[in-house]
PDB file of all heavy atoms in Angstrom:
ATOM      1  N   GLY A  78      13.171  -9.442 -10.846  1.00 94.00           N
ATOM      2  CA  GLY A  78      12.145  -9.271 -11.868  1.00 94.00           C
ATOM      3  C   GLY A  78      12.153 -10.398 -12.870  1.00 94.00           C
ATOM      4  O   GLY A  78      12.895 -11.379 -12.753  1.00 94.00           O
ATOM      5  N   GLY A  79      11.301 -10.223 -13.869  1.00 92.00           N
ATOM      6  CA  GLY A  79      11.220 -11.179 -14.961  1.00 92.00           C
ATOM      7  C   GLY A  79      11.356 -10.474 -16.286  1.00 92.00           C
ATOM      8  O   GLY A  79      11.897  -9.368 -16.362  1.00 92.00           O
ATOM      9  N   SER A  80      10.845 -11.092 -17.333  1.00 89.00           N
ATOM     10  CA  SER A  80      11.058 -10.592 -18.682  1.00 89.00           C
ATOM     11  C   SER A  80      10.016  -9.577 -19.133  1.00 89.00           C
ATOM     12  O   SER A  80      10.103  -9.041 -20.232  1.00 89.00           O
ATOM     13  CB  SER A  80      11.071 -11.768 -19.669  1.00 89.00           C
ATOM     14  OG  SER A  80       9.877 -12.520 -19.557  1.00 89.00           O
ATOM     15  N   SER A  81       9.030  -9.283 -18.275  1.00 91.00           N
ATOM     16  CA  SER A  81       7.990  -8.329 -18.656  1.00 91.00           C
ATOM     17  C   SER A  81       7.878  -7.241 -17.596  1.00 91.00           C
ATOM     18  O   SER A  81       8.867  -6.897 -16.946  1.00 91.00           O
ATOM     19  CB  SER A  81       6.656  -9.064 -18.853  1.00 91.00           C
ATOM     20  OG  SER A  81       5.687  -8.220 -19.434  1.00 91.00           O
ATOM     21  N   VAL A  82       6.689  -6.700 -17.370  1.00 90.00           N
ATOM     22  CA  VAL A  82       6.489  -5.567 -16.472  1.00 90.00           C
ATOM     23  C   VAL A  82       6.525  -6.034 -15.018  1.00 90.00           C
ATOM     24  O   VAL A  82       5.802  -6.953 -14.636  1.00 90.00           O
ATOM     25  CB  VAL A  82       5.146  -4.876 -16.764  1.00 90.00           C
ATOM     26  CG1 VAL A  82       4.888  -3.757 -15.763  1.00 90.00           C
ATOM     27  CG2 VAL A  82       5.134  -4.331 -18.182  1.00 90.00           C
ATOM     28  N   ASP A  83       7.370  -5.399 -14.207  1.00 94.00           N
ATOM     29  CA  ASP A  83       7.460  -5.662 -12.771  1.00 94.00           C
ATOM     30  C   ASP A  83       7.390  -4.334 -12.029  1.00 94.00           C
ATOM     31  O   ASP A  83       8.002  -3.349 -12.451  1.00 94.00           O
ATOM     32  CB  ASP A  83       8.770  -6.364 -12.415  1.00 94.00           C
ATOM     33  CG  ASP A  83       9.040  -7.570 -13.305  1.00 94.00           C
ATOM     34  OD1 ASP A  83       8.241  -8.510 -13.270  1.00 94.00           O
ATOM     35  OD2 ASP A  83      10.049  -7.536 -14.038  1.00 94.00           O
ATOM     36  N   GLU A  84       6.675  -4.318 -10.917  1.00 95.00           N
ATOM     37  CA  GLU A  84       6.483  -3.068 -10.181  1.00 95.00           C
ATOM     38  C   GLU A  84       6.406  -3.361  -8.691  1.00 95.00           C
ATOM     39  O   GLU A  84       5.701  -4.270  -8.261  1.00 95.00           O
ATOM     40  CB  GLU A  84       5.189  -2.390 -10.638  1.00 95.00           C
ATOM     41  CG  GLU A  84       4.841  -1.132  -9.880  1.00 95.00           C
ATOM     42  CD  GLU A  84       3.506  -0.552 -10.285  1.00 95.00           C
ATOM     43  OE1 GLU A  84       2.837  -1.156 -11.163  1.00 95.00           O
ATOM     44  OE2 GLU A  84       3.123   0.495  -9.738  1.00 95.00           O
ATOM     45  N   SER A  85       7.149  -2.593  -7.893  1.00 96.00           N
ATOM     46  CA  SER A  85       6.997  -2.663  -6.443  1.00 96.00           C
ATOM     47  C   SER A  85       6.184  -1.471  -5.973  1.00 96.00           C
ATOM     48  O   SER A  85       6.263  -0.379  -6.541  1.00 96.00           O
ATOM     49  CB  SER A  85       8.357  -2.684  -5.747  1.00 96.00           C
ATOM     50  OG  SER A  85       9.095  -1.502  -6.023  1.00 96.00           O
ATOM     51  N   THR A  86       5.376  -1.683  -4.934  1.00 96.00           N
ATOM     52  CA  THR A  86       4.533  -0.614  -4.404  1.00 96.00           C
ATOM     53  C   THR A  86       4.749  -0.376  -2.913  1.00 96.00           C
ATOM     54  O   THR A  86       4.376   0.685  -2.408  1.00 96.00           O
ATOM     55  CB  THR A  86       3.047  -0.929  -4.642  1.00 96.00           C
ATOM     56  OG1 THR A  86       2.744  -2.210  -4.074  1.00 96.00           O
ATOM     57  CG2 THR A  86       2.726  -0.931  -6.129  1.00 96.00           C
ATOM     58  N   GLY A  87       5.319  -1.335  -2.192  1.00 95.00           N
ATOM     59  CA  GLY A  87       5.502  -1.162  -0.757  1.00 95.00           C
ATOM     60  C   GLY A  87       6.597  -2.048  -0.219  1.00 95.00           C
ATOM     61  O   GLY A  87       6.941  -3.074  -0.822  1.00 95.00           O
ATOM     62  N   ILE A  88       7.151  -1.665   0.940  1.00 96.00           N
ATOM     63  CA  ILE A  88       8.184  -2.461   1.606  1.00 96.00           C
ATOM     64  C   ILE A  88       8.042  -2.303   3.115  1.00 96.00           C
ATOM     65  O   ILE A  88       7.767  -1.212   3.612  1.00 96.00           O
ATOM     66  CB  ILE A  88       9.603  -2.050   1.140  1.00 96.00           C
ATOM     67  CG1 ILE A  88      10.675  -2.971   1.740  1.00 96.00           C
ATOM     68  CG2 ILE A  88       9.893  -0.596   1.471  1.00 96.00           C
ATOM     69  CD1 ILE A  88      12.060  -2.747   1.144  1.00 96.00           C
ATOM     70  N   LYS A  89       8.190  -3.406   3.833  1.00 97.00           N
ATOM     71  CA  LYS A  89       8.253  -3.399   5.289  1.00 97.00           C
ATOM     72  C   LYS A  89       9.352  -4.366   5.717  1.00 97.00           C
ATOM     73  O   LYS A  89       9.604  -5.375   5.051  1.00 97.00           O
ATOM     74  CB  LYS A  89       6.923  -3.836   5.917  1.00 97.00           C
ATOM     75  CG  LYS A  89       5.789  -2.853   5.704  1.00 97.00           C
ATOM     76  CD  LYS A  89       6.048  -1.526   6.382  1.00 97.00           C
ATOM     77  CE  LYS A  89       4.906  -0.550   6.149  1.00 97.00           C
ATOM     78  NZ  LYS A  89       5.204   0.796   6.682  1.00 97.00           N
ATOM     79  N   VAL A  90       9.989  -4.061   6.826  1.00 97.00           N
ATOM     80  CA  VAL A  90      11.086  -4.889   7.334  1.00 97.00           C
ATOM     81  C   VAL A  90      10.607  -5.635   8.567  1.00 97.00           C
ATOM     82  O   VAL A  90      10.086  -5.032   9.511  1.00 97.00           O
ATOM     83  CB  VAL A  90      12.314  -4.028   7.668  1.00 97.00           C
ATOM     84  CG1 VAL A  90      13.469  -4.911   8.133  1.00 97.00           C
ATOM     85  CG2 VAL A  90      12.724  -3.195   6.469  1.00 97.00           C
ATOM     86  N   SER A  91      10.779  -6.959   8.558  1.00 98.00           N
ATOM     87  CA  SER A  91      10.351  -7.782   9.686  1.00 98.00           C
ATOM     88  C   SER A  91      11.358  -7.671  10.832  1.00 98.00           C
ATOM     89  O   SER A  91      12.425  -7.075  10.702  1.00 98.00           O
ATOM     90  CB  SER A  91      10.204  -9.239   9.243  1.00 98.00           C
ATOM     91  OG  SER A  91      11.478  -9.798   8.968  1.00 98.00           O
ATOM     92  N   GLN A  92      11.018  -8.277  11.946  1.00 97.00           N
ATOM     93  CA  GLN A  92      11.864  -8.184  13.132  1.00 97.00           C
ATOM     94  C   GLN A  92      13.222  -8.841  12.936  1.00 97.00           C
ATOM     95  O   GLN A  92      14.201  -8.470  13.588  1.00 97.00           O
ATOM     96  CB  GLN A  92      11.133  -8.807  14.323  1.00 97.00           C
ATOM     97  CG  GLN A  92       9.858  -8.054  14.688  1.00 97.00           C
ATOM     98  CD  GLN A  92       9.049  -8.762  15.755  1.00 97.00           C
ATOM     99  OE1 GLN A  92       9.509  -8.972  16.876  1.00 97.00           O
ATOM    100  NE2 GLN A  92       7.825  -9.154  15.410  1.00 97.00           N
ATOM    101  N   ASP A  93      13.324  -9.820  12.027  1.00 96.00           N
ATOM    102  CA  ASP A  93      14.614 -10.477  11.793  1.00 96.00           C
ATOM    103  C   ASP A  93      15.390  -9.845  10.638  1.00 96.00           C
ATOM    104  O   ASP A  93      16.418 -10.359  10.218  1.00 96.00           O
ATOM    105  CB  ASP A  93      14.430 -11.975  11.556  1.00 96.00           C
ATOM    106  CG  ASP A  93      13.752 -12.292  10.217  1.00 96.00           C
ATOM    107  OD1 ASP A  93      13.320 -11.338   9.519  1.00 96.00           O
ATOM    108  OD2 ASP A  93      13.658 -13.476   9.867  1.00 96.00           O
TER     109      ASP A  93
END
Side-chain angles (χ1 to χ4, degrees):
S80 56
S81 190
V82 176
D83 310 298
E84 176 184 1
S85 61
T86 55
I88 185 171
K89 292 296 180 186
V90 183
S91 69
Q92 296 173 61
D93 70 354

